[in-house]
Amino acid sequence: MTRYREFHRRSIEAPDAFWRDEAARIHWHTPFETVLDRSNPPFARWFTGGRTNLCHNAVDRHLADRPQQQALIYISTETGIERRYTYAELYAEVNRMAAVMRSLGVARGDRVLIYLPMIPEAMFAMLACARLGAIHSVVFGGFAAPNLAARIDDAKPVLIVTADAGARGGKVIDYAPLIDEALSRAAHKTPHVLMIDRQLAPEKFSAPYLLDYEPLREQFFDAHVPCEWLESNEPSYVLYTSGTTGRPKGVQRDVGGYAVALAASMEYIFEGRAGDTMFTASDIGWVVGHSYIIYAPLIAGLTTVMYEGTPIRPDGGIWWRLVEQYKINLMFTAPTALRVLKKQDPALMKAADLSSLRTLFLAGEPLDEPTAAWVSQSLGKPVVDNYWQTETGWPILAIQRGVEALTPKLGSPGVPVYGYNVTLRDEVTGEPCAPGEKGVITLAYPLPPGCMSTVWGDDARFVDTYWSSVPNQTVYSTFDWGVQDETGYVTILGRTDDVINVAGHRLGTREIEEALSGHNAVAEVAVVGVNDPVKGQAALAFTVLRDADRYASDEARAKLEAELTATVDRQLGSIARPARVHIVSMLPKTRSGKLLRRAIAALAEGRDPGDLPTIEDPAALQQIRDALQASAPR
Ligand code: PRX
């Protein structure tokens, strides 16, 4: 471990020298003056005074060396469309999009909300924003209108870029009515909405505010839009994520630090070299998509594969065939997808020539040992689990094979990544844990380049949420439990807060509770995450009704449950839909009225909830047990 240890030690003890070297990986229009400005902790400003541009680094810079290399391979198994773009073609498309945006008044510092399915235009729109110095905020296409409205009101965009429809599992999802509803719900009035017409929606939606992209693209076909040279710490994007409250947080990212961090990660963690092909099966609505579908592979001169579809359509061999057909070298997905693939006919994997594939990367949720063992055996390639968050933008824990190919430990995403000063701490005292002791995973100041700069529009929330939760310490809390062994490997043991992870999607249980409370039958509700063999976790809801007598019959209860899950679909989107909504007459609470969520989750997973000396009425636990029992498969 000597090489890794020395590398990590230098990054922590001499961060200025370490990151000064790494900064040479990207193009600086104006060199930076200071590597790290620590004058206002816990805020860290990297590469101050330096001017650069993400789009220049991702696209323009490659025009000299690799204009004819594929930059993007787009495959949709939903529409049967395949499109390829060289770096020169990507440059042209991004310039067209940037020119259209500019003609609509988009300028440096403005926000552009992107609500798009997985289509090439999503990449063009993100890069066009980066080019103009506008701040993109991509909202996952599976989110429902009220969710979208909340993000519109927080980001206050000057433009929304959307499409007529998305597609998933063979079903077309009309976007225009969602946009229409979101716009009418939002207090902020967005001046323009640009629509990419995929001609998928069954009916043409025409609202006076909708602008069709295609004729505008034609109009600006030969446009060249210069890159805005941004100061390294200007915002590049805002990406909303869930936390403890129902109000989503806008994670704000910088420009220079992010570019440097991603470029370095491509060598030390992903071992991706210019000319390689990388397939990250995620969505541009998530951080993995931002970092490893769009920015990192392009900055490093790779070919990135963007995929619309599921892993099992037309059949469970599709991803392996893509590896063969496009000679994919690096693949990155979430454990959920592998748990799905594990259930497919093994012949489907064996039939494909996977010789191009060097490494499989997995992140987003715990990688369970059986799945890890299955995939490494059947693939016969290194599998690199990596642990990180929307907030950090790139891995915190991983085996950094580009530094030293340490032996993986089953069930652990590995050791702290260079730049991250990781300490597990006692939840009550804030003191460091001994090896083998469970604690909160914390990061010392400063966070390395690329991590969130602040919460969009709310510096106080950044400090209060992330830097004030560990007693007696000013450290960043990941809100994850973990345990570290003597050699440094960390195992993740779940969240310390009310965030759950369903099929790799991060959801706040409070958001789901708020959606359910909106139904007038509901008096009180508790949502918890419980183990699920495929999705990692599933949400379960327990509700107390206002008028329980109305729902006495099984039929009335079943109808109500369907209505309640539909409410979540409408408010948040179907990804947040609870697996079950149970009806009880009281919820377990402390005498001071705090919901005992951990006790509910323990019962739902068949564990002992432990001693609960502060519980108001122990009968409430029995109610949860009864409800679970009544619904258990016989
Ligand atoms: O709980 C951890 C879990 O996912 C959370 C972050 O989710 P998100 O913001 O969507 O970012 C995902 C970026 C990969 C973490 O707080 N998590 C992420 N990766 C892992 C993980 N849990 C266990 N193992 C992982 N590799």
Side-chain angles (χ1 to χ4, degrees):
M1 266 188 145
T2 334
R3 218 183 115 69
Y4 156 70
R5 276 198 208 292
E6 178 48 32
F7 193 76
H8 186 264
R9 193 189 57 75
R10 179 167 176 263
S11 76
I12 301 303
E13 288 177 5
D16 292 69
F18 182 92
W19 289 108
R20 179 185 296 282
D21 291 350
E22 296 303 328
R25 293 175 184 276
I26 69 155
H27 170 81
W28 294 93
H29 180 72
T30 311
F32 49 89
E33 289 148 18
T34 317
V35 177
L36 170 60
D37 169 3
R38 310 163 181 255
S39 60
N40 185 24
F43 299 90
R45 291 162 52 83
W46 287 96
F47 311 116
T48 54
R51 290 189 178 271
T52 185
N53 182 289
L54 277 173
C55 183
H56 177 89
N57 279 286
V59 184
D60 302 36
R61 203 164 55 121
H62 302 303
L63 294 180
D65 293 344
R66 51 192 74 256
Q68 298 314 323
Q69 181 196 306
Q70 306 287 324
L72 168 64
I73 298 176
Y74 172 76
I75 302 137
S76 171
T77 49
E78 297 289 344
T79 57
I81 288 172
E82 190 230 64
R83 286 199 252 158
R84 299 178 191 224
Y85 299 85
T86 63
Y87 272 98
E89 286 163 344
L90 178 61
Y91 172 84
E93 291 294 351
V94 170
N95 274 277
R96 287 165 198 150
M97 181 71 85
V100 171
M101 287 185 180
R102 194 173 57 179
S103 77
L104 297 174
V106 176
R108 181 176 186 154
D110 287 343
R111 273 80 56 212
V112 174
L113 190 142
I114 298 175
Y115 185 74
L116 283 175
M118 292 290 282
I119 52 175
E121 288 79 2
M123 174 186 276
F124 308 157
M126 290 166 77
L127 292 168
C129 287
R131 194 166 191 88
L132 295 169
I135 302 164
H136 60 67
S137 183
V138 183
V139 176
F140 175 59
F143 279 139
N147 230 329
L148 185 55
R151 285 152 173 77
I152 293 172
D153 277 338
D154 195 74
K156 301 190 172 51
V158 299
L159 172 70
I160 295 176
V161 186
T162 189
D164 60 330
R168 185 151 181 94
K171 275 214 308 259
V172 168
I173 304 131
D174 276 7
Y175 274 19
L178 284 170
I179 291 283
D180 205 39
E181 186 189 338
L183 288 177
S184 60
R185 279 172 176 263
H188 170 76
K189 295 299 157 219
T190 308
H192 299 290
V193 180
L194 190 60
M195 191 186 64
I196 318 291
D197 189 358
R198 310 175 72 190
Q199 314 209 328
L200 276 188
E203 278 174 51
K204 194 121 191 114
F205 188 90
S206 60
Y209 56 77
L210 273 187
L211 293 166
D212 198 351
Y213 178 61
E214 194 47 41
L216 291 167
R217 174 179 174 271
E218 287 295 320
Q219 194 182 325
F220 292 100
F221 202 78
D222 299 316
H224 289 278
V225 178
C227 286
E228 279 285 330
W229 298 110
L230 304 178
E231 200 277 337
S232 178
N233 294 278
E234 283 183 58
S236 56
Y237 69 73
V238 174
L239 180 55
Y240 288 90
T241 190
S242 303
T244 299
T245 67
R247 201 159 52 98
K249 285 183 294 245
V251 167
Q252 179 179 320
R253 195 93 58 211
D254 70 356
V255 177
Y258 187 50
V260 171
L262 292 183
S265 78
M266 283 310 281
E267 173 168 343
Y268 299 132
I269 303 172
F270 294 91
E271 294 183 289
R273 292 176 283 270
D276 280 348
T277 300
M278 180 165 188
F279 170 28
T280 299
S282 177
D283 190 282
I284 47 135
W286 308 121
V287 71
V288 175
H290 280 60
S291 293
Y292 294 103
I293 297 174
I294 311 285
Y295 289 113
L298 294 179
I299 288 171
L302 278 74
T303 301
T304 185
V305 175
M306 186 173 179
Y307 176 77
E308 180 185 52
T310 72
I312 51 168
R313 252 177 60 100
D315 62 59
I318 177 67
W319 283 7
W320 310 124
R321 290 198 297 278
L322 293 182
V323 170
E324 173 176 328
Q325 189 177 347
Y326 299 98
K327 302 208 168 25
I328 288 165
N329 308 111
L330 309 169
M331 192 169 158
F332 189 175
T333 188
T336 292
L338 284 189
R339 287 192 291 266
V340 169
L341 291 176
K342 191 171 140 204
K343 296 208 282 188
Q344 309 296 310
D345 180 356
L348 288 167
M349 190 202 262
K350 286 212 185 76
D353 174 2
L354 304 180
S355 56
S356 62
L357 187 67
R358 294 202 301 264
T359 318
L360 173 69
F361 298 89
L362 296 170
E365 51 175 328
L367 173 61
D368 55 289
E369 293 182 21
T371 306
W374 167 76
V375 68
S376 38
Q377 270 159 27
S378 36
L379 270 184
K381 318 262 175 178
V383 175
V384 177
D385 182 6
N386 52 111
Y387 158 85
W388 45 295
Q389 311 182 302
T390 304
E391 287 83 347
T392 65
W394 60 287
I396 303 169
L397 298 171
I399 304 278
Q400 300 135 66
R401 294 176 53 87
V403 178
E404 186 179 350
L406 301 178
T407 314
K409 177 178 164 182
L410 226 49
S412 158
V415 292
V417 169
Y418 56 90
Y420 290 97
N421 191 353
V422 177
T423 307
L424 278 78
R425 291 180 182 275
D426 184 277
E427 173 190 28
V428 179
T429 64
E431 290 301 312
C433 296
E437 244 172 50
K438 175 178 171 177
V440 182
I441 303 172
T442 68
L443 309 174
Y445 179 81
L447 298 185
C451 293
M452 75 188 291
S453 341
T454 186
V455 172
W456 171 253
D458 200 345
D459 286 351
R461 195 171 176 200
F462 173 65
V463 179
D464 294 347
T465 305
Y466 294 104
W467 295 88
S468 315
S469 82
V470 177
N472 313 315
Q473 306 286 334
T474 307
V475 290
Y476 171 92
S477 176
T478 60
F479 296 100
D480 279 305
W481 295 114
V483 55
Q484 191 167 29
D485 71 11
E486 307 75 36
T487 44
Y489 288 74
V490 180
T491 302
I492 310 295
L493 303 171
R495 296 279 302 195
T496 67
D497 60 3
D498 298 322
V499 167
I500 61 172
N501 203 316
V502 179
H505 300 316
R506 172 165 161 184
L507 301 169
T509 50
R510 292 282 168 86
E511 291 170 76
I512 307 176
E513 286 171 3
E514 281 176 23
L516 288 167
S517 307
H519 191 289
N520 53 23
V522 172
E524 276 186 286
V525 58
V527 172
V528 297
V530 297
N531 287 333
D532 180 277
V534 175
K535 295 178 171 179
Q537 281 191 301
L540 278 191
F542 295 85
T543 58
V544 177
L545 302 181
R546 282 185 209 286
D547 181 3
D549 294 345
R550 268 187 64 191
Y551 303 97
S553 71
D554 285 353
E555 196 192 346
R557 286 183 168 222
K559 194 165 156 255
L560 178 64
E561 184 174 346
E563 264 178 41
L564 290 172
T565 47
T567 305
V568 176
D569 287 4
R570 269 197 313 277
Q571 292 287 318
L572 298 172
S574 55
I575 56 161
R577 182 194 300 164
R580 281 300 311 266
V581 182
H582 294 290
I583 296 166
V584 289
S585 61
M586 64 177 149
L587 291 168
K589 287 185 196 161
T590 63
R591 281 186 284 272
S592 57
K594 242 184 104 190
L595 258 178
L596 289 162
R597 283 199 184 72
R598 282 189 208 174
I600 303 176
L603 288 175
E605 289 178 347
R607 289 182 285 116
D608 179 2
D611 269 355
L612 298 164
T614 58
I615 193 166
E616 190 185 16
D617 185 348
L621 291 178
Q622 194 51 43
Q623 288 235 353
I624 303 277
R625 279 194 199 97
D626 293 346
L628 288 163
Q629 196 138 41
S631 70
R634 269 174 262 258

